[in-house]
Amino acid sequence: MNRLCAIALLLLGCGPAINTTAFSHRFPDNQPEDLAPVLAATRAARPPALRNASGQPLIVATTQREEDHERRLLALRPSGEELWSVPFDAATRPEVLGDVIMTSTRSEVVALDLADGHVLWRRDSESLAYVGASRSGDTILYVLSVGAAGGATRVGRLHAVDARTGRKRWGYEIAGVLGRPEAYGGYVFVPWDRQNIAILEVATGIERARLRSTDDVIAWVRSHPSGVYYGSRGIYHFDERSASGVKGESTYRPPPIPDAPRDPMVEDDAFFPMPGSRSARGRIRIYFEPEGVEDGSIRVVGDRFYYIYYRYVFAFDSSDRIVWARMLPGDILRADVVPRGLVTLSENGELRLLDAASGGDIWTGGHEASLASADLDLGSFDPGGEPAEAAGLETALAEIIGDPDNRLVAARAYAVELLARRPNPAITQLLLDLYAQRAVPGAVKEAIANALRVRTTGTEHLVAALDQHYDYLDETPVPPLDLLVPALLEQRKTEAVSGLVGHMLDHETPAAVLPLVIRGIVELGDASVVPPLRDFLVLYHADSTFSEAPQALAMAAEGIYRHGGDEGRALLQALGAEGKTIAPLRAAIGGIFEREAQEAEAAARAEAEAEAAAAAEAARRAQASRPGRLSQAQINEVFVARTDALRACVEQELERNPRLGQIRFVFILDSQGVPSEFRFAPNTSEFVACVQPIVTALRFPPIRERRQRATFTVNLRARSRAPEPSEPRDRFWWSRAQRRAEQAGASEVGRPWWEVRQAAAPSQPTRPPEDAGSTEDDTPWWMQEDSNAGDSSDSNAGDSSDSSAGDSSDSSAGDSNASDSDEQPWWLPAE
Amino acid sequence: MLRQVTTMALAAALMGTVTAAAQRGRGRRAPVDPEQPRVSLRDLDRIVPKLQSPNPDEVREAIDLLSVIDRPEVVPPLAELLRAGQPDAITDRALEALRGLAAPESIEVLTEFLHHRRVAARRRAYQALAAIDDPRIPRLLERGLRDSDRSVRGAAALALGEIGARQSLDILFRAFERGVVEAAIAIGKLGDAAAIERYGEFLGREPLGVMLSGYREFLGRRDIPHDSKKAIVERLGEVAGVMVRRFLGEYLASLPERTRNRQIRELKVLLQETIARIPEEATGTRVAPATEQGGAS
């Protein structure tokens, strides 16, 4: 309804009220051309060093409510001079904006005159939280918002009003959260929804540009004389690169002091009101003063980031190296970076200027009062003077660690980390001393323990600390063995063994830490620790001391087992077998040997598995190295080795059958090269009986394939059939096949099949070409002097084998020999 | 108040054990019990193997037999038994046996047991050492004053008093300062006139019952000058109170009724006058039962 009214009013020309020309979700963000005029204006801006109209450093503060004292708002000079003081119950921290002080009560936004503190105007805060204001010329821009912390209601209102009268000039309401605005160069930068910055022209209230971060949160915008900065934990400089909308392409400084506890902000979160009464908010913060950008990097005044944790101040350089630390008497309410260092205002009104280089006090002042909140407008405040000598960094950190204020444990633990990073060996002893203090809380002790574990200097102090033993009269406590032993173990300090043995044998060593001590002996020691471990174990093995918590004895047994060799094993076995040995120790010793057995078993299993794997690998390799199938030459080679035996059988068969022209064996080879399933041609019983024992005993090379069909053929009479020149070569295989079929059909009836097949088969005799003419020679080829049995069988066996066997589907090795023929087998397609 | 009660009860208990040991005589063997079995050194070879028996009863019997032999030669087997690690009951019995033997040969093994993790074993070791007449003993007993366990500290303090270790007076005062109440008795047994004055500085700081236990020792000694005793009586007269009245009354009663010793007579007169000045009834001050019985006796 409000929007409708606003639109109606605008249409009617009733002047600016609620505007709709900003914060639209359709407004383009990160547009360089939109940002350009804004950048030009901000670069041209020359803001004064001080925000207040008096031209002098000024502090505006609220006081704490105390008995018989109402809360007040007061304006001070740094010297402590009170300019004025008025009763005022501020709900939020006052802000100095020129000649006006802006703050709020529970229900109103209030502007007071800087000159005397009287109220200039009040405006209803509309049940929203006042989160802050900024000023541009005579316009004050303030934001009311709710919902930043979550919840269903998210409302943000931006109002532009006359600074002195509060008369409204323009305003916006959005269904989102707005943060404290920042006016600069005629524009107001309004963070909203923690991701955007709407940049509005102050004069018109029209949004001119928008920034949106796509990979970060925007929690604040602040202007400094060197420009506009924004960010969350990290710091962005507002420039042309801001249009990228991403960290990597913006002028960006990652969060300083990244390991500081409680994730401190570098500015107050703009989306939350800063309380006007005492609160933890803002007590943990990083302060810095940007002084521009150089080589793409944001530079800060004095090269310092100041991390404040209540009353501790840690100063770091821009490389996040600590430079100094201070513990101030009171909690710091507010601080401000000035060229010479850091000005701190404590809750008791004390103002200090700490030297940027050393942390020493350059100046102290202030106004004795119990302050609740304050705004410092100090500009380049410099009261002069030289810094007082400050305690060294290590001393200051030690002082912070030893501070009894247990509210600040996290910072004290952080001081431990900072101190432990220093290489000074004496720090190790210092940390040990701090650890021994009873008042040091557990978190700090834990930090010390962690720090000592990784310290590499001064470790001799860890060893030396073992020399201390409990003494009631001297009030000497047991050294912090729970701290020392892990650190000694971490750093493998073998020289600590004797000290640890001393504590093992000392009855004053607490039972709770004794297993750790013995573990240290076992881990760091060698065979030399066996005698004391043995004495310890033997002395207590039947005693009730460790019957409830036998870990120490178990660890001693472990040490003896590990370092004691056979003698140690024998001792353990004897103790384990003794009836008087306490049951838990017996169980522990049993466990050691059980573990040993399991380990041996596992080792044996692993060895067997390794052997099996090796054998499998060897087999795999052997398998891989085998041929897939044997070539005819390889098959022939095996037969040739038994030529003499076969010849006898063949000669006998020739005697029985002088016309025998060929013998042929067809068989199956398995993967191991064992032949089987022989078929013989001729298959006369005499011949078969003769050759079968010979050929079944043959062993061929293994093959990869599971089985291979193989043949071996011997042409007993060499034949030659020179191609007739006039005979036309059939172009196609089927032509050749038909011709051969005709020839086969014309063959003489009653001739052996192999002769018929031989005639039909195109295989060539293997005789050398020069013998081609002696076709009628009846002498078997192997009996001819110049014959070569291997070659002969090799060259033609396969060709004929398949045909003779009648198994045309087989593609045995011999098939490849067909290409040697001057005529292709009839069953094969022509080339 | 609770602390006072506890300390006094503890002191009384410890007093009993140490006094019993002392009654047997430091450096002297225990008297032979006619009921005990008759064994001698010749039986050693027969008895010692029984120490290795898995039967605890047999081991205990062997320890007892070795105690009866009552010769330094039985120390090594007992020491070996102790070092071999035994159940609590066997360890304690062996330590008691060594205490009875009171042989300097057992100092080494007893010293080892001063660091035993079981309090009872440590305490027995100190008591056994206290029974030995050897110049090394006071220094060893002083270690007990540094122990974290109050009963061990108490036993050590009492033992130092029993053996007359005057060189340990300073450390006994330190122990007393640190709250070892049993040191009061030891100081009372060992201190000289100067120590009485030093001891008196604790009056008002330490429980009255504890202080009276030390004064009782001072007053009971013949080597303390009567003037010093008078000074004690006068000092206690200043403190007054029912407990002091009763304490002085008991002391008066312990003095001979008739004596020619003028100093004793003067002391009795002083006692009577002092007692007469102290009201009979308590004036609203509640006194713990343990201290009502006469302090740390």
Side-chain angles (χ1 to χ4, degrees):
Chain A
M1 183 58 77
N2 284 342
R3 286 183 181 179
L4 288 173
C5 291
I7 293 167
L9 286 168
L10 279 171
L11 291 173
L12 291 170
C14 293
I18 297 297
N19 211 323
T20 58
T21 52
F23 301 105
S24 165
H25 286 289
R26 284 177 288 183
F27 193 94
D29 50 42
N30 299 333
Q31 298 297 308
E33 59 275 18
D34 290 349
L35 295 174
V38 182
L39 283 166
T42 55
R43 281 170 183 153
R46 292 287 178 272
L50 290 165
R51 285 178 281 123
N52 75 84
S54 73
Q56 297 292 319
L58 184 75
I59 299 162
V60 176
T62 63
T63 60
Q64 183 73 355
R65 189 188 308 279
E66 291 180 351
E67 287 180 14
D68 304 329
H69 285 89
E70 58 189 346
R71 293 192 64 205
R72 301 185 72 81
L73 182 68
L74 47 96
L76 305 166
R77 293 291 179 212
S79 61
E81 178 193 353
E82 185 177 296
L83 301 176
W84 50 259
S85 169
V86 294
F88 193 87
D89 189 8
T92 55
R93 189 175 69 204
E95 293 175 279
V96 178
L97 301 174
D99 57 355
V100 173
I101 296 169
M102 288 291 291
T103 183
S104 69
T105 62
R106 289 178 182 274
S107 59
E108 291 177 317
V109 179
V110 183
L112 301 98
D113 193 331
L114 181 70
D116 55 10
H118 80 269
V119 174
L120 290 171
W121 49 266
R122 295 173 184 267
R123 285 204 167 269
D124 184 12
S125 59
E126 305 158 48
S127 301
L128 301 176
Y130 167 74
V131 295
S134 188
R135 178 165 179 166
S136 176
D138 61 352
T139 303
I140 280 182
L141 304 114
Y142 68 90
V143 161
L144 304 169
S145 191
V146 70
T153 306
R154 297 172 77 246
V155 178
R157 288 182 189 153
L158 170 65
H159 293 290
V161 300
D162 183 273
R164 299 294 296 181
T165 65
R167 189 173 60 85
K168 197 165 195 173
R169 291 183 169 160
W170 49 262
Y172 288 95
E173 176 182 321
I174 67 164
V177 288
L178 295 179
R180 179 190 178 278
E182 185 71 12
Y184 195 78
Y187 291 89
V188 60
F189 296 72
V190 187
W192 62 291
D193 279 357
R194 302 188 80 81
Q195 196 175 17
N196 309 288
I197 299 174
I199 304 171
L200 285 68
E201 203 171 53
V202 173
T204 62
I206 296 171
E207 184 169 359
R208 296 300 186 189
R210 184 178 298 175
L211 283 180
R212 185 169 71 91
S213 173
T214 57
D215 62 354
D216 202 358
V217 169
I218 295 175
W220 53 267
V221 185
R222 294 296 281 188
S223 66
H224 293 268
S226 61
V228 176
Y229 299 84
Y230 60 96
S232 176
R233 308 234 181 267
I235 306 160
Y236 295 84
H237 179 247
F238 176 61
D239 56 23
E240 286 82 356
R241 301 181 71 196
S242 299
S244 68
V246 294
K247 286 181 197 171
E249 295 176 26
S250 301
T251 304
Y252 174 71
R253 205 279 182 203
I257 324 171
D259 54 353
R262 303 281 188 261
D263 290 331
M265 298 280 286
V266 292
E267 286 285 351
D268 296 327
D269 193 319
F271 290 88
F272 292 94
M274 290 307 300
S277 53
R278 281 186 185 171
S279 161
R281 186 182 292 276
R283 300 302 168 88
I284 302 169
R285 228 199 82 172
I286 292 171
Y287 287 87
F288 74 103
E289 179 70 17
E291 62 177 2
V293 176
E294 191 174 296
D295 298 331
S297 299
I298 296 170
R299 294 179 57 82
V300 296
V301 170
D303 191 34
R304 289 288 178 274
F305 287 95
Y306 302 95
Y307 171 45
I308 290 182
Y309 199 102
Y310 288 82
R311 57 200 183 93
Y312 305 150
V313 185
F314 303 88
F316 293 80
D317 66 14
S318 54
S319 303
D320 295 328
R321 281 191 296 262
I322 186 158
V323 182
W324 52 262
R326 282 288 305 270
M327 181 171 70
L328 300 185
D331 288 354
I332 297 167
L333 199 63
R334 192 74 182 157
D336 196 12
V337 177
V338 296
R340 293 195 67 187
L342 181 73
V343 177
T344 62
L345 175 65
S346 298
E347 286 180 343
N348 60 4
E350 184 185 62
L351 207 61
R352 284 172 189 262
L353 172 55
L354 307 179
D355 182 37
S358 67
D361 289 335
I362 294 175
W363 172 88
T364 56
H367 178 85
E368 192 175 341
S370 180
L371 302 181
S373 67
D375 185 22
L376 307 184
D377 183 25
L378 301 174
S380 300
F381 175 67
D382 184 357
E386 292 301 313
E389 192 175 346
L393 174 60
E394 291 166 9
T395 306
L397 289 172
E399 192 183 13
I400 289 171
I401 297 166
D403 180 25
D405 192 340
N406 284 343
R407 291 176 308 156
L408 314 180
V409 165
R412 292 166 62 192
Y414 182 55
V416 170
E417 289 177 34
L418 295 172
L419 185 62
R421 289 177 199 163
R422 314 279 301 171
N424 183 358
I427 287 173
T428 302
Q429 183 61 53
L430 178 63
L431 290 172
L432 282 170
D433 293 343
L434 287 166
Y435 190 90
Q437 290 180 11
R438 287 184 183 174
V440 172
V444 177
K445 284 193 173 184
E446 188 180 344
I448 292 173
N450 292 336
L452 284 175
R453 275 187 205 122
V454 295
R455 264 188 79 76
T456 54
T457 57
T459 50
E460 64 275 11
H461 295 293
L462 297 177
V463 179
L466 294 175
D467 294 341
Q468 179 181 309
H469 284 260
Y470 176 87
D471 190 313
Y472 177 80
L473 287 186
D474 294 341
E475 299 184 66
T476 309
V478 177
L481 294 166
D482 53 340
L483 162 77
L484 293 172
V485 179
L488 292 166
L489 278 170
E490 189 79 29
Q491 300 179 33
R492 303 297 305 166
K493 286 286 178 187
T494 53
E495 60 267 39
V497 169
S498 63
L500 292 171
V501 167
H503 282 283
M504 176 182 73
L505 300 177
D506 186 349
H507 65 278
E508 303 292 4
T509 301
V513 81
L514 193 58
L516 184 62
V517 170
I518 299 176
R519 183 175 155 238
I521 295 168
V522 173
E523 298 285 339
L524 299 174
D526 50 23
S528 65
V529 303
V530 173
L533 288 173
R534 182 191 58 218
D535 292 347
F536 180 83
L537 185 64
V538 167
L539 184 63
Y540 294 109
H541 78 281
D543 197 276
S544 65
T545 305
F546 294 103
S547 57
E548 296 296 324
Q551 293 87 346
L553 290 183
M555 185 54 72
E558 176 70 33
I560 292 168
Y561 173 78
R562 197 184 295 185
H563 300 299
D566 292 340
E567 200 177 335
R569 290 167 51 85
L571 171 69
L572 292 179
Q573 283 167 335
L575 290 179
E578 264 190 42
K580 65 186 178 187
T581 300
I582 57 172
L585 177 60
R586 270 209 305 275
I589 292 173
I592 289 173
F593 288 108
E594 190 177 333
R595 189 188 68 209
E596 181 192 60
Q598 286 172 350
E599 285 172 356
E601 191 180 329
R605 198 183 311 122
E607 191 178 349
E609 285 172 358
E611 282 176 6
E617 176 63 15
R620 191 193 62 76
R621 286 184 181 167
Q623 177 82 2
S625 67
R626 293 175 184 177
R629 297 168 64 87
L630 294 183
S631 68
Q632 191 60 48
Q634 289 170 306
I635 293 168
N636 291 347
E637 192 178 341
V638 175
F639 278 98
V640 166
R642 298 300 309 275
T643 298
D644 291 342
L646 289 171
R647 182 187 296 150
C649 295
V650 173
E651 285 174 350
Q652 290 169 12
E653 186 63 18
L654 278 172
E655 285 175 8
R656 289 190 291 272
N657 181 9
R659 295 186 63 188
L660 182 64
Q662 187 185 58
I663 61 167
R664 184 177 178 84
F665 309 141
V666 180
F667 54 95
I668 300 297
L669 278 176
D670 68 11
S671 61
Q672 297 304 313
V674 178
S676 60
E677 300 180 35
F678 275 90
R679 284 184 285 166
F680 304 95
N683 60 349
T684 61
S685 58
E686 296 87 350
F687 181 68
V688 170
C690 181
V691 298
Q692 188 153 29
I694 299 167
V695 296
T696 53
L698 294 176
R699 287 297 176 266
F700 295 81
I703 56 174
R704 285 203 302 276
E705 288 194 3
R706 196 167 58 84
R707 47 195 274 134
Q708 176 184 355
R709 188 167 184 275
T711 63
F712 178 69
T713 305
V714 178
N715 289 318
L716 301 177
R717 302 184 196 290
R719 292 170 187 272
S720 174
R721 190 171 67 90
E724 294 176 13
S726 60
E727 190 177 354
R729 290 182 67 85
D730 296 313
R731 187 174 179 187
F732 300 105
W733 67 270
W734 56 82
S735 306
R736 295 195 299 273
Q738 186 176 9
R739 181 165 53 79
R740 285 180 190 130
E742 289 167 358
Q743 288 172 354
S747 61
E748 191 177 344
V749 176
R751 288 181 61 193
W753 60 269
W754 55 86
E755 289 188 24
V756 176
R757 282 293 175 91
Q758 182 64 25
S763 60
Q764 294 300 306
T766 56
R767 294 186 61 166
E770 57 269 25
D771 297 336
S774 55
T775 56
E776 297 303 320
D777 183 4
D778 288 337
T779 309
W781 58 268
W782 63 77
M783 298 174 72
Q784 295 173 17
E785 290 182 1
D786 56 349
S787 68
N788 185 321
D791 291 344
S792 164
S793 61
D794 189 0
S795 60
N796 65 12
D799 294 345
S800 56
S801 67
D802 289 328
S803 61
S804 63
D807 187 355
S808 61
S809 65
D810 180 42
S811 58
S812 64
D815 297 346
S816 61
N817 294 338
S819 61
D820 295 335
S821 317
D822 57 354
E823 187 176 354
Q824 288 291 328
W826 65 267
W827 62 88
L828 287 178
E831 290 297 327
Chain B
M1 184 60 74
L2 181 63
R3 178 181 173 234
Q4 191 177 11
V5 172
T6 311
T7 52
M8 296 318 296
L10 180 66
L14 289 170
M15 271 292 286
T17 53
V18 175
T19 307
Q23 282 170 354
R24 280 187 291 189
R26 181 166 179 253
R28 293 196 301 271
R29 294 164 193 159
V32 177
D33 182 354
E35 297 296 320
Q36 284 179 341
R38 293 183 178 279
V39 287
S40 68
L41 206 54
R42 287 194 300 275
D43 300 309
L44 200 59
D45 293 341
R46 180 178 57 81
I47 298 170
V48 168
K50 290 183 178 177
L51 294 174
Q52 309 301 323
S53 169
N55 182 355
D57 293 334
E58 203 168 2
V59 177
R60 272 196 288 272
E61 185 189 4
I63 293 170
D64 293 345
L65 290 172
L66 291 175
S67 299
V68 173
I69 291 175
D70 197 17
R71 290 286 298 271
E73 287 83 350
V74 304
V75 171
L78 285 173
E80 190 181 343
L81 176 76
L82 283 167
R83 288 181 178 127
Q86 303 299 329
D88 300 3
I90 303 286
T91 300
D92 294 347
R93 203 163 189 118
L95 289 171
E96 286 292 338
L98 290 176
R99 181 185 180 189
L101 290 167
E105 289 80 0
S106 60
I107 287 178
E108 188 180 342
V109 68
L110 290 172
T111 304
E112 291 169 23
F113 272 71
L114 298 184
H115 292 290
H116 199 279
R117 296 190 68 85
R118 194 158 50 80
V119 170
R122 290 206 299 281
R123 198 169 54 235
R124 282 186 166 84
Y126 277 111
Q127 289 165 350
L129 282 171
I132 300 169
D133 188 7
D134 190 279
R136 292 171 286 175
I137 297 302
R139 290 280 169 244
L140 292 172
L141 293 180
E142 285 174 10
R143 284 193 204 175
L145 299 175
R146 301 176 185 278
D147 199 286
S148 60
D149 186 83
R150 60 188 305 167
S151 70
V152 173
R153 293 195 299 268
L158 293 171
L160 283 167
E162 286 298 323
I163 67 170
R166 292 183 190 277
Q167 68 272 38
S168 301
L169 199 59
D170 274 343
I171 198 170
L172 282 166
F173 268 109
R174 277 182 64 198
F176 192 49
E177 180 103 36
R178 290 276 292 131
V180 182
V181 294
E182 295 84 350
I185 296 169
I187 290 168
K189 286 182 175 174
L190 303 174
D192 53 12
I196 292 172
E197 194 171 341
R198 187 176 172 186
Y199 183 73
E201 292 170 7
F202 290 90
L203 206 57
R205 284 160 51 191
E206 292 295 326
L208 184 58
V210 173
M211 292 301 296
L212 291 178
S213 66
Y215 280 128
R216 183 185 304 277
E217 299 298 332
F218 277 121
L219 292 173
R221 284 167 53 190
R222 292 185 177 176
D223 58 335
I224 294 293
H226 279 85
D227 289 345
S228 298
K229 292 183 179 178
K230 284 182 190 171
I232 291 172
V233 173
E234 287 170 352
R235 184 81 177 89
L236 289 175
E238 292 169 10
V239 175
V242 174
M243 198 166 16
V244 171
R245 192 175 195 280
R246 186 172 298 169
F247 173 81
L248 294 177
E250 287 172 3
Y251 179 51
L252 179 62
S254 71
L255 295 175
E257 285 186 20
R258 297 184 180 190
T259 176
R260 292 182 178 178
N261 189 320
R262 182 179 55 83
Q263 288 178 314
I264 293 178
R265 289 203 306 272
E266 287 173 2
L267 180 61
K268 288 179 70 174
V269 170
L270 177 64
L271 278 166
Q272 288 161 348
E273 289 172 357
T274 304
I275 290 168
R277 284 202 303 270
I278 300 172
E280 284 188 25
E281 296 301 325
T283 55
T285 305
R286 186 170 175 272
V287 180
T291 53
E292 285 281 9
Q293 291 169 3
S297 58

